[in-house]
Amino acid sequence: MSRNRGPSRLEALSLGLVATGAVSIGAAVVVGAVGAGVEIFASPVAVSLPVHDAPMASLADASGVTAAEYTQSLVSFEALDAGIRWLLLLEVALPALATVIVCASLWWLGFSLIRQRAFRRSMVPMLVTASFALIVAGMLAPMFGAFARAEMVAQLPLADTGEFWMLMYELNPAPIGWGIALALVATAFEVGQRLQRETEGLV
């Protein structure tokens, strides 16, 4: 897109759809996080706890099945400490916050492209913030959840804790990978801004 010619109708429509989709996804994530928070601070609280060595008796003799076991158990707690509830909330809230920041960056990028001002000064800080949020949320959210579940297992009767993992931290590398990718995109925008300033200086 040049300075004198605006985006075509199809380009503007596509960019508008991207911006609208980003806002819609962000709003849906916020609503979901609020709903999860209400459930976490309600009573009773149903939480999936990781289990091991819990065979599925219904499939023990099934044809073609060599082994089957449960990996999660849904346990409802009548009462939980406030600290555990806050850890569970952070497990949900951090990814939701990161998603909202990413959606805000996509909306701002779409709006800037429609206005033919993709290399705004604010674009790089927004992309860097989104990258940092994805990486931090991807690392810390499962850690908070693991600590919360460890405390919940500790509250169970000793005879019933044998099949539960005392501490299980499962790191999902996908958000971290997306965060690194956004950091590279931010670097590309930084280079684009520098080239644009140099070109304007020559003109």
Side-chain angles (χ1 to χ4, degrees), residues 3 192-203:
R3 286 180 176 273
Q193 288 179 357
R194 185 169 65 249
L195 292 175
Q196 180 175 271
R197 289 194 297 268
E198 293 175 353
T199 302
E200 291 175 349
L202 292 175
V203 174

Side-chain angles (χ1 to χ4, degrees), residues 21-88:
V23 173
S24 301
I25 292 173
V29 168
V30 170
V31 172
V34 171
V38 171
E39 293 181 359
I40 289 171
F41 283 91
S43 184
V45 185
V47 181
S48 294
L49 300 181
V51 298
H52 62 90
D53 299 329
M56 294 182 63
S58 60
L59 293 179
D61 299 325
S63 176
V65 177
T66 57
E69 63 180 20
Y70 294 99
T71 59
Q72 298 286 332
S73 178
L74 187 63
V75 182
S76 294
F77 290 83
E78 182 64 31
L80 283 177
D81 295 337
I84 297 177
R85 295 178 189 267
W86 280 106
L87 288 174
L88 292 174

Side-chain angles (χ1 to χ4, degrees), residues 120-202:
R120 295 175 184 263
R121 291 184 177 180
S122 59
M123 188 59 63
V124 172
M126 288 196 68
L127 292 175
V128 171
T129 302
S131 171
F132 181 76
L134 280 174
I135 294 174
V136 170
M139 296 177 62
L140 294 184
M143 183 182 68
F144 288 136
F147 287 156
R149 286 168 177 79
E151 291 293 329
M152 296 168 75
V153 171
Q155 292 186 6
L156 296 174
L158 186 60
D160 298 329
T161 60
E163 295 181 347
F164 291 97
W165 290 99
M166 294 303 297
L167 180 62
M168 187 175 184
Y169 174 66
E170 294 182 301
L171 179 64
N172 182 6
I176 299 175
W178 282 111
I180 295 173
L182 271 181
L184 293 176
V185 173
T187 303
F189 270 85
E190 177 66 26
V191 173
Q193 288 179 357
R194 185 169 65 249
L195 292 175
Q196 180 175 271
R197 289 194 297 268
E198 293 175 353
T199 302
E200 291 175 349
L202 292 175

